[in-house]
Amino acid sequence: MKVVKFGGSSLASGEQLQKVYSIVMSDPERKIVVVSAPGKRSSDDIKVTDLLIECVEQYLSNSKENAPVATLLERYSSIAQELNLPKDVMEAIEADIYKVLEGDQSKPEKYMDAVKASGEDNSAKLIAAFFRSMGTDAVYVNPKDAGLYVSDEPGNAQVLPQSYENLYKLREYEGIVVFPGFFGFTLDGEIATFSRSGSDITGSILANGTKAKVYENFTDVDAVYSVNPTIVENPKEIKELTYREMRELSYAGFSVFHDEALIPAFRAGIPVNVKNTNNPSAPGTLIVNERHNTNGPVIGIASDKGFCSIYVSKYLMNRELGFGRKLMQILEDYGVSYEHSPSGIDDMTVVLKEDQLDPEKEAKIVARIYDELHADKVEIDHGLALLMVVGEGMRHNVGTTAKASQALADAGVNIEMINQGSSEVSMMFGIKAVNEKKAVKALYDAFFVGVPAL
Ligand code: ASP
């Protein structure tokens, strides 16, 4: 039995839904279908989730007349019309949209989640109706009825462990189960959504709960590429990669697949197959525990901007008990989380997401590091990008670091920081964000150009 998830662009129009239907029908093992809300039909279109967010903002600021409700309704009604669905399908969706928008606004975050979740919920109802109209036995299942429970963290919910056992019962349904992605219910019976793009997470949870053979994730690209295709033209496709490699790549900007979605599949050892709705016969990318395809040492290159570093130096730091802890405590006191912390004998650098700081917070943090830790020097460096060179077994391969740093040197990119020691599967370089594209291209050329296909 397979769990199949379709992303927003696969569900954006009637034409796309016809493709989805034939993909599901072409394999009797495709039994549980997890769906997103309708996404973009073209690059200048607006996703249903974004329209819903805009509606909430207008409703909360008492200007509901400016909410794009008509556009929202039109997204569903155009699909229903294209597919010749019975009138009552759209009537029910319209009634539901007004009901959630007029719902309880006393807790804005919860109101926001309830409205956002309706995007996937109505999408699932519409798709189940479409499958039935094609003569296929299909049923919409609500996450509450299925027992998909999540923590009470609006917009960032986490699955609760008892859900897995509940979800196993989804196997008992006769026909195809159509399940809305992106949200679950708290133990108090309230809707809570996962973080953005969270339908991937729902699919992975269902694959784990139902002990599926594979979790197929249909999107709009043929494969996960070895580098961002907007930086390098026609990059190599990755045929097979491990969960750990995917995690590192998606951490640094690979947006094909939500990084949190890997956890449930990984825990149950269920392979994830990323495939293309618009080209379903392409094998796609398989994410597994251990890959058999050995490839070269490097499988992908990722990068992300928006980081800064706090550099702290103090003579004899290595001899001082608790220095690192105290430094991290100061950051914790300001609600700042950190990403990496490369260190030397008398120095420590803490790399963090830049948007957590503002000039006032920054000044207070620096002052406390001087006052409480008696540091010799504290410097904050803004505008950093992180480059990740990722591949299992890379560390056991002589010369990978040399090759990467040589490529960066040849491209005239200064390396601000290297972190190679801690991860088995990646090597990280900190550089100035202005050099990001140039650096990624140089690394791609060094590791992939002229190298046999993965
Ligand atoms: N519709 C939600 C979003 O746009 C969730 C998803 O599509 O996975 O973030």
Side-chain angles (χ1 to χ4, degrees), residues 103-337:
D104 181 4
Q105 296 173 14
S106 60
K107 294 180 198 135
E109 285 185 317
K110 300 209 163 173
Y111 170 61
M112 172 66 97
D113 268 20
V115 176
K116 275 196 296 186
S118 77
E120 318 335 79
D121 204 45
N122 285 318
S123 176
K125 287 178 184 160
L126 185 148
I127 291 160
F130 166 50
F131 279 26
R132 284 195 297 270
S133 77
M134 301 292 283
T136 297
D137 183 11
V139 54
Y140 152 83
V141 177
N142 184 278
K144 193 178 201 169
D145 298 331
L148 174 45
Y149 293 116
V150 296
S151 61
D152 193 358
E153 292 169 273
N156 193 28
Q158 311 287 322
V159 63
L160 298 181
Q162 61 267 45
S163 303
Y164 293 111
E165 217 179 296
N166 300 340
L167 292 166
Y168 190 76
K169 296 198 190 74
L170 288 176
R171 294 178 75 111
E172 288 164 14
Y173 283 89
E174 282 285 310
I176 306 267
V177 169
V178 185
F179 198 98
F182 194 35
F183 70 98
F185 282 79
T186 66
L187 293 173
D188 293 334
E190 285 177 313
I191 287 177
T193 67
F194 298 120
S195 51
R196 287 301 302 267
S197 303
S199 298
D200 283 345
I201 304 180
T202 308
S204 184
I205 294 168
L206 264 53
N208 178 317
T210 59
K211 307 273 173 285
K213 166 169 152 191
V214 60
Y215 169 29
E216 291 180 321
N217 190 286
F218 279 85
T219 171
D220 51 11
V221 286
D222 271 355
V224 176
Y225 296 102
S226 48
V227 71
N228 184 344
T230 65
I231 300 185
V232 174
E233 231 178 285
N234 286 326
K236 290 208 161 109
E237 291 176 2
I238 303 177
K239 296 213 163 33
E240 207 177 26
L241 79 167
T242 66
Y243 300 112
R244 297 201 301 171
E245 289 171 329
M246 187 68 211
R247 160 86 181 107
E248 301 262 351
L249 290 170
S250 43
Y251 166 75
F254 269 43
S255 58
V256 179
F257 191 65
H258 197 300
D259 53 353
E260 272 179 55
L262 285 169
I263 306 161
F266 163 72
R267 293 225 169 101
I270 296 168
V272 180
N273 195 356
V274 177
K275 283 175 75 74
N276 190 354
T277 301
N278 305 315
N279 184 16
S281 58
T285 297
L286 198 63
I287 309 168
V288 286
N289 226 331
E290 257 172 70
R291 63 181 156 87
H292 305 292
N293 241 331
T294 41
N295 309 319
V298 174
I299 198 144
I301 293 168
S303 68
D304 204 8
K305 290 196 275 284
F307 295 92
C308 67
S309 66
I310 305 180
Y311 168 81
V312 183
S313 99
K314 184 179 182 189
Y315 193 60
L316 292 181
M317 184 192 285
N318 63 323
R319 303 261 298 269
E320 196 173 319
L321 200 63
F323 189 93
R325 180 184 54 74
K326 288 179 205 148
L327 176 60
M328 296 313 186
Q329 185 62 55
I330 294 176
L331 295 179
E332 191 178 335
D333 291 347
Y334 291 95
V336 170
S337 73

Side-chain angles (χ1 to χ4, degrees), residues 7-32:
S9 61
S10 307
L11 309 164
S13 66
E15 191 190 341
Q16 288 301 85
L17 282 179
Q18 301 274 12
K19 295 181 193 169
V20 167
Y21 182 66
S22 35
I23 289 170
V24 175
M25 287 303 113
S26 67
D27 183 347
E29 290 192 307
R30 292 181 174 141
K31 161 104 183 115
I32 297 177

